[in-house]
Amino acid sequence: MKKLVVYYSFSGNTRAIAKRIARALKADLAEIRTMKTYPDDYDVLLSLGKREVESGYMPQIVPLSVDPAKYETILIGTPVWWGTYAPALRKFFMSTSWKGKTIHPFATNDKSLGHIASDLKKALRGATVKPVFSVKYDEKTLLTPAEDFKAWLSQI
């Protein structure tokens, strides 16, 4: 059965990784986009992002171009926001049945994954959630070696 790579990206780093993964696995690709765009001002974004994560806010998202119900294996990509997944994913998680699905999460970050692994397991009830693949960046510079990608992809 075909695989799906679904992701949210603010700065473009997660998008670049998602496209790379989809090409390598010959998987379908879908981007989660918010109806309302986030501010470009980094300080404003940090404050807003923190408030959204802490409050459990779910921004409205544009409907996906694919139906996740048609896939058994889904790779989910997110940047790490305040130690967890981006709020834009929350709405997607709530609107999808995860029962019987295998999830391979990947997260772009500059320091750590925080508590994203446990948060994803709670949000994706009914799914088998594999360990989160950490994709390290220094702003726009990818730091994760190609060998790490190959090793992770070979497990899927």
Side-chain angles (χ1 to χ4, degrees), residues 10 12 15 21 28 32 34 40-42 51 73-74 80 98-99 101 119 123 133 141 145 155:
F10 174 75
R15 178 181 299 111
I21 292 167
D28 292 337
I32 295 171
T34 57
D40 289 330
D41 182 297
Y42 186 70
R51 281 195 316 271
T73 301
I74 301 176
V80 176
W98 299 103
K99 186 177 169 106
K101 301 207 180 294
D119 292 348
F133 179 58
T141 304
Q155 299 171 17

Side-chain angles (χ1 to χ4, degrees), residues 5 15 24 27-28 38 46 59 61 64 68 72 77 81 90 98 101 106 123-124 135 139 143 147:
V5 178
R15 178 181 299 111
D28 292 337
Y38 282 98
L46 281 180
I61 60 174
L64 287 181
E72 292 176 10
W81 282 32
R90 195 170 279 124
W98 299 103
K101 301 207 180 294
F106 60 98
L124 302 170
V135 183
E139 292 188 26
L143 302 176
E147 300 80 40

Side-chain angles (χ1 to χ4, degrees), residues 79-145:
V80 176
W81 282 32
W82 293 100
T84 192
Y85 54 84
L89 289 172
R90 195 170 279 124
K91 185 77 166 178
F92 170 62
F93 292 163
M94 300 279 292
S95 64
T96 303
S97 172
W98 299 103
K99 186 177 169 106
K101 301 207 180 294
T102 300
I103 307 301
H104 297 272
F106 60 98
T108 55
N109 63 93
D110 63 351
K111 293 184 182 108
S112 80
L113 292 175
H115 43 87
I116 197 167
S118 60
D119 292 348
L120 286 170
K121 284 185 180 183
K122 286 179 202 166
L124 302 170
R125 295 208 185 280
T128 300
V129 181
K130 300 294 186 175
V132 180
F133 179 58
S134 177
V135 183
K136 297 277 189 197
Y137 270 90
D138 179 10
E139 292 188 26
K140 291 285 185 189
T141 304
L142 177 62
L143 302 176
T144 301

